[in-house]
């Protein structure tokens, strides 16, 4: 198949009839490399690799050891592994392998910053390993190649069987990439807010505490351990768009649209569509359908004035925290995507995953066909 | 509100960790003016205007006359009107107005081509008037300003009350625009196709008959007058993606996502998201959820090999025709969008319409609130 | 498993607190045999059997012949077969079998009434055969035993492999039955109606033309061959309940809830629940959710006063006809159910079909499990 | 409107064709008074009334006082009120009213059993007051008349304005009732279960601890405060029907189908349909549609063998508790319904509530109509 136009869509003709045209505004022109042509290259040969393994999963043990041996002994790479992975008794019990692990760099989450030391990332296990990898890199993320052992995941397109040839290719560069957009989320605690606009002076600013998160799948605001759901206001570009009454609200990337948002009823969005998905969780209103908004809008979520209970927020299922009346959650699309190596290409990979992970449009096979179904329903 | 990043989303940082980056491919770089900054300007002052009025709608009669008088007498515009609009007895009966209509240019659909004579378009009535306007312009579309008289539409954001000032502003230029993408649909009849790829030689080519359509809302493939639904194959970039068993399939623009696709269960997409929506109509499979794909993919729809009945296709609800075994429907995003003048801005206008046209997330008002709802559900 | 209460649910205690109770009304007391204990018996041994075969389905040919031989030669039954089934060239070409067919009783649909001559019915093929069988019996329906050859159907629970023993058991009686309720639908053409109440005098009565149908799955009112959907009013017990704007409306039995209604988004209802399901088809309103009402309500469907197009009605996908402004469609639960022989019991059979026909809640198998999924989504 | 058949539906004719009929089983015959004819009567005149008021709701204060005065002084009733209602400072501050409260009977929840002392119940406030009333009566429930002050509720059909005449009528008897079925839920802690069947010996039995609940809306099993959802097995009549992966599971009465189940996507069921609704909450599987099963089935919910996290259960939003591996939740329809006094009749009341509480099928009004919509979508 030879693509005849950009995956992003064609540039629109900007003359409208005989006399009208679009007002030129050079400052507002974006230069985007078309998603279908995004490929990996290396400034210098990669030397260090972070291996992320789902912990305490026995089925992954042997593949993990094999992979590490290959990287260390065949490819002469410096392998980074999280300390807790190596502390697994099943690892430490294997003396042969323990010998090799001495050459590894180990680190602890939230303690050691490895973000400038890792040239690429290998994930081994389910989609969760990629969410975890994303969480380790708050800014630029090294390329990720992700292997599944059991069944295909949305984020883990590679079979482990052929890992040697796959990795060799990636190390040589020129692999197809999908840039999975992330959300930059800022939680502001203790601010004084009104109608979504901060009204802060110097003193209040000091009291403010903000935390930033990079999110690959979704931000979830829900009722947490409470039986009572809170009213939550959603602002878009500073305007109050709607109030959520229900179990909560999901703001997801296209990548996240096939995760929790799909469970909550959203349509699925291909990761190369520049958009955010807003999905209510069990809304009281029958007409609260999910919506898809441009990637560049600025969302803000706060408790409603009249909310009688707090809400809880989590980021890719982690870092769950309470949201009180003076707090706000700001969400925009991040400029630091996760560059994932594609197995075939971004479009084919995605439809493979839809079929295999979500059984999308699986139908009963017609076991026998007839020339006429006039009597059939 | 001052936007701090492009509505389209930020340009992604394209270095990935210390050593990786995106392979530069200048030929694949798009230069896109950010949707939020798209504004109308004029190369020369507009002189001709097409007025589209829903026919036989009595409530529109007086506004239509007023508007035409204003355009002709105050603005000295040359007014284009479809002949059948003027043939309405309610128009011809008014001698005073008949006098003015003599200055109009009239035309007949499918007979006269006015596409190079109209500087801008005014729509009066429901969303249907804009679909109709779109159908008259198969390539570049002049700017459209659309008025509703009763209730707000997705495509008709302006109230008629203040039409004089609104039109004066548009004629002066510098109005905010939303470029509503269209689909370019090609129906190929009588081709010999296999697996979505044309296998044609010279002779067959001669036999082929193709028709092109520009579609603003959606292409619908359904069972037409038949009681029996046909199996339809959907190809994306030449690959068979899925087979549709059910009442049919909708391929819609973001603009169309709030029309028939919403009725069929789709999430709603803002018109500035470069995407296409694929929505099944009453699918047999419980797991056939709507999906959103990048605007640049190439879709093709054909009857399945084993389909026992034909299917029917329509374009924005018009030009309904039968699809047989050798026919195919190709769909891509067109490079000729419909430039619609915004009432406020593309984002605010859309949420207004969601609320007023679709009652999106309308909830029961809590008429009285208490400090505690422990006893409440 | 031993059921400890009726499948229908327990009889409610009808004293309410120390002093209140339900007003006794012996005329309003129903005597219902609990669905779980409904079993077939014979007043006299059955002698005649109607065999319904999906026509022109080659895979069914051999089983059909085998079955007819068994019924005729082993069981000495009188076999009824529709004439067009025997006219199939694949049947007439087989001289050996043609010899046997001479002993059959043949009939033509809409011409011969066999409703008092058939002791039981055997269906061979898909669910459509049972819908067809139902249409032949406008009042009492003989017991039906339905075989699938390919994949299990909702209405065809028996595998053909063991047909001899299954049929022998049924002929002996004492098989578990599920009484599948039907809808009695009356189409009144040309009546003068207002607000759902007939205002007819003698003369008008003469002009009225009514048709009655017994429906096993559903009545569908839709836009038929028209591109334009009509507004349709739904009355329940004489009250206007709602107006449908969209592609149409489905009124289905619980049996039909897993057919077209499921495709249109309805929840699935077990056939032993005494209810009707009302499901809109692609409604304009986001909040038009399907509803389930008691089996005994009286529904009436008419075009709305302001409807600008006609609607079309069909009955189990058959007998499609146009509905104009003076027509009405009355729907109630029929007192003539279809008694279907169960494979195991009504509950187990249904869940088997949900899984196999609709892939209900099919999930991705977790191929490997770990003790901790903290890193997993 | 004069009903021509029972609301429950007609008794099916039980002869099937010329020779078959239903096997008579007198022990399995239920005698049910048709729902449409269920009316309240009194064995003796009612003397005591429980008044339930949403606490700390200022808007209810004046109506509550008025009502209590009327009951005490005009109707000479003995008024029961929960102690915490009277301890509201807004009540105690009013000396005039405090004087009257001395005549009231007060009680404390979970401490005093009033179930045999109350002749009828008056609810004042939202639907929550009726859920609360239900929870106070684990067996027979006195008749309930429920008033809303702000907006109509599903469970609170009466306007307060005319409370005097309404109450006078009820006290005289002969009011229409809807018997709202409840679920009897038994939570068994610490049992040893396998495949949904208890394998317990004497010693284990002693260790077992069971709790029973009567539930008017729904039983919810969810992940509680955990971020991780657990796998939950659903058994029906002892068979494993399905496994739930997702946020949880709702088992609701028809009354509850318009509450949390509707938010989770269920169809709405009229309260006179003898059924239970099973609705997943945000299921992983796209094909996990809600289902409606006969009221008499026996459901059991347990953690799956391989569940790695516990689940939580709650009853009408109350009494939330953790469910561990050896625990099970058994659910059947209770024989103790809540007899609610209807405002008009069970059917009309329900559709009123659908429209007003859930905005069911609220559509944009067509503000102007034309004779032709050929140009309209």
């Amino acid at each position: 198949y030879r693509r005849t136009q950009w995956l992003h869509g064609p540039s629109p003709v900007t003359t409208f009839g005989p006399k009208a045209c679009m007002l030129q505004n050079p400052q507002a022109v974006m230069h985007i490399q078309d998603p279908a042509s995004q490929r990996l290259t290396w400034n210098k040969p990669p030397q260090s690799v972070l291996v992320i393994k789902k912990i305490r999963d026995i089925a992954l043990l042997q593949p993990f050891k094999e992979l590490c041996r290959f990287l260390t002994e065949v490819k002469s790479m410096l392998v980074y592994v999280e300390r807790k992975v190596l502390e697994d008794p099943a690892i430490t019990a294997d003396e042969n392998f323990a010998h090799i692990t001495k050459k590894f760099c180990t680190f602890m989450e939230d303690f050691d910053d490895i973000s400038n030391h890792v040239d690429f990332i290998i994930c081994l296990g389910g989609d969760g390993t990629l969410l975890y990898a994303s969480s380790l890199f708050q800014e630029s993320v090294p390329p990720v190649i992700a292997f599944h052992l059991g069944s295909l995941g949305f984020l883990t397109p590679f079979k482990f069987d052929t890992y040697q040839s796959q990795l060799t290719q990636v190390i040589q560069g020129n692999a197809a990439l999908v840039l999975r957009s992330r959300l930059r989320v800022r939680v502001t605690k203790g601010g004084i807010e009104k109608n979504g606009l901060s009204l802060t002076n110097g003193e209040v600013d000091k009291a403010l505490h903000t935390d930033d998160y990079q999110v690959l799948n979704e931000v979830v605001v829900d009722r947490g351990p409470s039986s009572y759901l809170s009213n939550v206001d959603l602002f878009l570009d500073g305007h109050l768009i709607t109030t959520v009454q229900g179990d909560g609200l999901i703001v997801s990337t296209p990548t996240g649209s096939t995760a929790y948002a799909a469970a909550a009823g959203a349509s699925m969005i291909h990761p190369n569509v520049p958009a955010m998905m807003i999905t209510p969780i069990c809304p009281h209103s029958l007409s609260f359908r999910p919506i898809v908004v441009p990637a560049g809008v600025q969302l803000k979520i706060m408790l409603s004035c009249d909310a009688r209970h707090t809400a809880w927020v989590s980021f890719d299922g982690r870092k769950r925290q309470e949201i009180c009346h003076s707090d706000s959650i700001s969400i925009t699309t991040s400029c630091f995507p996760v560059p994932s190596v594609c197995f075939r290409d971004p479009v084919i990979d995605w439809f493979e995953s839809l079929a295999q992970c979500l059984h999308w449009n699986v139908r009963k096979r017609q076991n026998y066909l007839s020339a006429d179904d006039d009597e059939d329903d």
Side-chain angles (χ1 to χ4, degrees), chain A residues 173-245:
Chain A
N174 206 12
L177 283 183
V178 57
L179 298 199
R180 297 185 175 278
S181 69
R182 297 198 289 178
L183 302 175
R184 188 172 66 81
V185 189
R186 169 163 290 180
V187 178
T188 305
K189 309 284 290 185
I192 296 168
E193 304 257 348
K194 196 172 174 184
N195 294 333
L197 299 167
S198 295
L199 300 175
T200 59
N201 57 27
E203 281 186 307
V204 170
D205 276 340
K206 283 175 199 158
L208 284 177
H209 171 72
T210 64
D211 278 311
D212 277 23
Y213 302 89
Q214 294 281 333
V215 164
L216 178 56
N217 263 351
E218 75 277 290
V219 184
V220 176
V221 176
D222 63 19
R223 54 191 167 90
S226 163
S227 301
Y228 300 105
L229 23 111
S230 216
N231 288 5
V232 160
D233 288 341
L234 175 66
F235 299 86
L236 189 148
D237 290 350
H239 300 275
L240 177 62
I241 293 304
T242 201
T243 294
V244 183
Q245 281 188 304

Side-chain angles (χ1 to χ4, degrees), chain A residues 113-114 260 346:
Chain A
D113 181 4
I114 58 163
Y260 192 22

Side-chain angles (χ1 to χ4, degrees), chain A residues 35-64:
Chain A
S37 70
Q38 292 170 343
R39 302 189 73 82
L40 170 67
T41 190
W42 298 99
N43 291 326
K44 300 179 193 169
Q47 290 169 313
S48 62
V49 54
L50 167 61
V51 178
I52 292 179
K53 178 191 150 294
K54 204 174 157 188
I55 58 172
R56 280 187 284 277
D57 183 337
I58 292 159
L60 293 171
L61 210 61
Q62 202 49 45
F64 171 71

Side-chain angles (χ1 to χ4, degrees), chain A residues 156-177:
Chain A
T156 57
F158 287 93
K159 270 193 187 168
F160 188 73
D161 307 12
T162 54
Y163 76 97
Q164 297 196 359
S165 60
Q166 302 287 4
L167 286 175
T168 301
Q169 274 192 318
V170 170
I171 290 166
Q172 285 164 353
N174 206 12
L177 283 183

Side-chain angles (χ1 to χ4, degrees), chain A residues 183 185-188 193 196 219-222 230-236 239-240 242 244 248-252 277-279 298-304 311-315 323-331:
Chain A
L183 302 175
V185 189
R186 169 163 290 180
V187 178
T188 305
E193 304 257 348
V219 184
V220 176
V221 176
D222 63 19
S230 216
N231 288 5
V232 160
D233 288 341
L234 175 66
F235 299 86
L236 189 148
H239 300 275
L240 177 62
T242 201
V244 183
L249 185 69
I250 304 166
V251 177
S252 57
M277 182 131 220
I278 299 172
T279 308
Q298 165 104 22
L299 299 178
K300 180 175 281 193
I301 299 173
M302 297 183 71
L303 287 190
S304 301
W312 289 71
V313 64
S314 62
F315 312 93
I323 294 297
C324 302
H325 266 289
S326 51
D327 306 339
S328 69
I329 305 163
S330 296
I331 305 170

